[in-house]
Amino acid sequence: MFLTCRGSQTSITDTGPAVDVRRGTTPLHPLFSFECEGNAAHSVGFSKEGDRVSQPGTASGPGRTPAWRYAIGMFGTSIPINMIKGSMILFYVDILGLDVRAYGVVMVMYAVIDALDNPLLGHLSDRTRSRFGRRRPWLLVGAPMLAACMIAFFSAPTSLQGIGLVLWFAVFAILCEAFDSMLNANYGALLPELYPRERDRAVANGLRQGFQLVALVISLAVTPVLTTDVFGTEESTQGFQITAIIYGAVALVVIVFMALGMRENPRYSTRERPPLLRSVWSIVRNPMFWTVGLTGACYGIAMALVLSGIQLYVRYSLGLPVGNALYLQGIVILVSAGGLVVWTRVVARRGALWTWRLAFAVLAAGFAALFFATDLVTAIAAGVVVGAGWSGMLATNDLIVARVLDADAARNGEHREGLFLSAFGFFGRLNGIVTGLALTSLGVFFGYNSGADPGADPGLAFRVYLCVYPFVLTTIGAVAARLISVPIETPPEAAEPVEPPPPGPVDESAVERPR
């Protein structure tokens, strides 16, 4: 619909949804815009949500969410899931004696369920309409549920054996996964919405990755000390339960603080709610969904292997107490935190795509160096390189994905970040399958079946698990990143909700190609 002004006369013409922005036409809403001749200019404060038309003055935009307020949420979402992923093998396999074959089966189930529930949770988030916004209700529900399930996960009775232990592990691992997916589908979807310009987005992303690294210092590097020295011992489970309670409470407070302070853009939720199957079909037909998703998965799976195996790498490959993982992980994370400032500046100068490719290569080199480490000093030296590459991936990977989301919104006229990010999460959820199969392979090739049956050379087994497998994955990712293209940065005004153009070929000029 257009409001046309000619002198003192005003007429309203129903022309259907506006598709593009032309000179002399200013979009008020995807369904309304106005057009004026001469010096007259008038605006109309109507907006439409489904079949309901709101009154003038209700469409004003929200205040900007401070980058730090949004970014701190990453601290809360990272602590629980990284304690789970970083300690589950040590807790269930090495201490409680869960067989690695049972672990592998559960992790495959975990990954399949995770891959299925992610798009559904993202779709439900996109369709949510409430006075509190689309994302906030899910964040406020998911935070306490994840905290409770994490505590239960690390409260398995030591008397459990056999099928009882497997069931406890499976039930609470899957529940933790489901509520973590609920949180991250909504938290991640806020980045492109709150910060439409890539420079602002890079700053917010750099801050949130910094908070994530602080969370990693606590949930990965400090956790072994708390669980095995402060609250428990090397062979007991009590320390894990106490640590989980503390981390769960901290995560809950931080996520609620972030959710209550961020301001969603109401224009993103004024569209009619897209059906699930049509949206999924549109996403899977997008070639960039597959190229960017699979390439990013090479990085995500490699880091999942590292997070899950670092404590046993220290115990078996370096021959040191598990508590020494604090120093190795701490140095890697501190280097990554410091590197975020450098990598964010490189993004500003050279762009996200160029920086992404460089970070992949640095990360692969770090894993190669880590394989040859023989003691804590050489492992830390190699860890510096790993930390530098990891920092670059943290600074760029989400920016590459956000460009794909921007292009999808501009082309299809629907802001479905929740569903799209959850669909991307399908590749990340391959982590569970690969880590399960990788751990199972240690039993096949090296005889490591559990802490009670470690085989003849568990040191080499976890050197392969932590170094060789990630090196292969990141090398594949580095090569693939050189070959793929991503959309150019979308101007914020072009990403506003509009009706999709007629089906046709993608404008090749709007694609950033390999250099």
Side-chain angles (χ1 to χ4, degrees):
M1 180 175 290
F2 289 92
L3 174 66
T4 305
C5 309
R6 293 181 176 85
S8 60
Q9 295 183 342
T10 303
S11 62
I12 298 178
T13 305
D14 188 354
T15 61
V19 174
D20 55 11
V21 180
R22 301 184 299 272
R23 179 177 298 178
T25 302
T26 303
L28 294 172
H29 184 271
L31 301 179
F32 297 87
S33 59
F34 72 89
E35 183 174 327
C36 295
E37 293 181 0
N39 296 323
H42 305 280
S43 63
V44 178
F46 300 119
S47 64
K48 183 176 180 181
E49 181 174 349
D51 295 325
R52 179 174 60 84
V53 178
S54 65
Q55 296 300 319
T58 61
S60 60
R64 179 171 176 175
T65 303
W68 71 268
R69 186 70 179 261
Y70 167 72
I72 198 173
M74 196 74 154
F75 179 83
T77 61
S78 295
I79 282 184
I81 197 62
N82 283 304
M83 180 187 176
I84 293 168
K85 290 183 177 180
S87 299
M88 65 166 56
I89 295 178
L90 176 64
F91 183 81
Y92 277 95
V93 175
D94 217 57
I95 295 178
L96 294 182
L98 180 69
D99 190 280
V100 293
R101 290 164 291 189
Y103 176 91
V105 171
V106 171
M107 292 310 294
V108 170
M109 294 171 53
Y110 173 105
V112 170
I113 294 174
D114 201 9
L116 294 176
D117 69 17
N118 259 259
L120 178 60
L121 290 168
H123 177 70
L124 292 174
S125 174
D126 289 339
R127 290 174 59 87
T128 297
R129 302 293 184 269
S130 78
R131 58 186 293 234
F132 302 106
R134 291 191 295 173
R135 317 299 182 188
R136 183 182 289 124
W138 296 94
L139 292 168
L140 295 178
V141 170
M145 297 305 297
L146 177 59
C149 290
M150 178 185 68
I151 294 170
F153 182 80
F154 287 109
S155 299
T158 54
S159 59
L160 282 178
Q161 294 180 352
I163 190 64
L165 181 61
V166 173
L167 288 176
W168 188 286
F169 171 62
V171 168
F172 287 106
I174 291 170
L175 286 176
C176 288
E177 170 277 318
F179 291 115
D180 175 65
S181 296
M182 179 185 294
L183 286 175
N184 283 286
N186 289 275
Y187 179 73
L190 288 169
L191 178 65
E193 175 180 336
L194 299 180
Y195 310 100
R197 295 187 182 277
E198 186 164 278
R199 283 180 176 269
D200 296 334
R201 188 177 293 170
V203 171
N205 183 59
L207 283 174
R208 73 172 186 159
Q209 299 299 351
F211 277 115
Q212 176 178 224
L213 291 172
V214 174
L216 288 173
V217 170
I218 297 171
S219 60
L220 295 178
V222 177
T223 292
V225 177
L226 296 179
T227 57
T228 63
D229 291 337
V230 178
F231 300 128
T233 67
E234 291 269 346
E235 306 299 330
S236 69
T237 62
Q238 181 183 2
F240 290 90
Q241 183 179 20
I242 297 173
T243 304
I245 293 172
I246 296 172
Y247 287 179
V250 171
L252 176 60
V253 170
V254 170
I255 294 171
V256 170
F257 173 76
M258 179 275 300
L260 294 179
M262 60 88 182
R263 303 176 179 90
E264 296 183 53
N265 188 340
R267 292 189 64 180
Y268 279 44
S269 60
T270 56
R271 304 286 299 167
E272 293 187 5
R273 305 173 187 182
L276 175 61
L277 293 181
R278 190 191 74 186
S279 298
V280 170
W281 178 240
S282 173
I283 289 171
V284 299
R285 288 189 302 161
N286 186 337
M288 285 181 290
F289 167 70
W290 296 100
T291 55
V292 173
L294 287 171
T295 304
C298 292
Y299 148 70
I301 295 171
M303 295 311 302
L305 290 169
V306 173
L307 296 181
S308 65
I310 187 69
Q311 296 182 37
L312 294 177
Y313 171 82
V314 169
R315 168 177 284 181
Y316 292 119
S317 301
L318 300 182
L320 300 171
V322 171
N324 283 273
L326 166 66
Y327 307 110
L328 178 55
Q329 292 182 117
I331 291 296
V332 171
I333 294 170
L334 288 174
V335 169
S336 299
L340 283 172
V341 177
V342 177
W343 287 106
T344 300
R345 291 180 178 177
V346 176
V347 170
R349 292 177 61 89
R350 300 300 301 267
L353 180 61
W354 186 91
T355 312
W356 187 52
R357 293 170 179 153
L358 176 61
F360 251 124
V362 174
L363 187 59
F367 288 128
L370 195 61
F371 178 83
F372 297 102
T374 57
D375 52 30
L376 187 60
V377 173
T378 53
I380 288 176
V384 170
V385 183
V386 172
W390 185 22
S391 180
M393 295 303 299
L394 290 173
T396 58
N397 199 64
D398 288 347
L399 301 183
I400 297 297
V401 172
R403 285 200 192 180
V404 179
L405 266 63
D406 288 343
D408 174 75
R411 177 170 178 77
N412 294 288
E414 295 172 351
H415 277 273
R416 48 188 183 184
E417 291 89 352
L419 176 59
F420 216 124
L421 280 173
S422 297
F424 268 117
F426 164 79
F427 299 108
R429 267 47 190 186
L430 295 175
N431 295 354
I433 295 177
V434 176
T435 55
L437 293 176
L439 188 61
T440 303
S441 74
L442 301 186
V444 175
F445 299 129
F446 303 101
Y448 178 88
N449 294 310
S450 68
D453 182 18
D457 195 352
L460 179 59
F462 281 96
R463 205 174 287 275
V464 169
Y465 183 88
L466 194 85
C467 308
V468 175
Y469 292 160
F471 172 76
V472 171
L473 286 165
T474 50
T475 300
I476 293 172
V479 173
R482 298 290 304 176
L483 301 176
I484 67 174
S485 303
V486 297
I488 60 174
E489 180 182 358
T490 304
E493 61 273 11
E496 290 291 343
V498 295
E499 287 297 317
V506 178
D507 182 4
E508 295 295 334
S509 64
V511 174
E512 185 173 342
R513 298 191 174 279
R515 299 174 185 173

